[in-house]
Amino acid sequence: MKLSDRLFGVVVILGALAYTAGAFQIQASFMSDPVGSKTFPLMLAGVATICGLVFVFRPDDDPAWPGRMTLGNIAIAVLVMVAYAHALKPLGFLMPTAICAAILSFQISPRPLPAAITGLGLSIGLFLIFKYALGLGLQPLPKAWLG
C-alpha cells in the first residue's frame, strides 16, 4: 500500500503551503539583503514541497510499526521529557536531570541501581561540562536552597 509515506508527504506539503502563506505575510524592511526575510522562508517551503512530493510519488514499503508496549514506552519518555523541561527552572539542573536520566536509563535497561547511578553520573557530568567547559549560566539547585 505504501500509505504511510504518502500520508507523510501530504502532511509535509500542507505544512509547506502553510509556511508559504506565512512567508507572504512578512513585511520586508527598507534594509533588506538579497535573501531577505521573505525569500529565505519561501526557499525553505519550496524544498519542503519537493521533499513531500518525493514521498508521495516514490514511497517506500510500509514499515513494521512498533507494538503497544513500545508506543507506551515512547509516550512515557515524552512525558518525562516534558516534565523535565518544566522542572528545570524551579528545581535547578542537577535534580531534574538526574531523575530524567534515571527514568530513561531504566526504560533502556530495567535495573534500578545502574539506572540511578547513570542518572546521577549524567547529571553531574553534564553540569560540569555545561557550566565550566561551555560557560553556561546554569543553576545547580533550587534558588531557595542557595540562599
Side-chain angles (χ1 to χ4, degrees):
M1 287 266 320
K2 302 181 180 191
L3 182 63
S4 61
D5 272 6
R6 288 195 169 119
L7 285 174
F8 180 70
V10 169
V11 169
V12 169
I13 292 169
L14 291 174
L17 289 173
Y19 199 70
T20 300
F24 278 119
Q25 301 298 319
I26 297 173
Q27 298 288 331
S29 69
F30 69 93
M31 289 178 46
S32 179
D33 54 60
V35 183
S37 57
K38 190 181 288 192
T39 307
F40 186 69
L42 289 174
M43 289 175 12
L44 287 177
V47 170
T49 302
I50 292 168
C51 292
L53 288 171
V54 169
F55 273 102
V56 169
F57 292 113
R58 295 196 47 169
D60 289 335
D61 293 330
D62 277 333
W65 291 98
R68 289 180 189 237
M69 185 70 167
T70 303
L71 290 175
N73 286 337
I74 292 171
I76 290 169
V78 168
L79 290 173
V80 167
M81 294 303 290
V82 168
Y84 172 69
H86 287 286
L88 272 174
K89 189 161 185 154
L91 298 178
F93 183 83
L94 293 174
M95 285 191 304
T97 303
I99 293 167
C100 178
I103 291 170
L104 296 178
S105 176
F106 185 81
Q107 279 192 310
I108 294 169
S109 176
R111 298 181 323 185
L113 185 60
I117 292 170
T118 300
L120 278 172
L122 271 173
S123 177
I124 293 168
L126 288 174
F127 179 78
L128 293 174
I129 290 170
F130 291 157
K131 179 79 172 179
Y132 298 107
L134 299 176
L136 299 178
L138 292 178
Q139 175 184 323
L141 299 168
K143 286 182 182 178
W145 292 10
L146 299 174

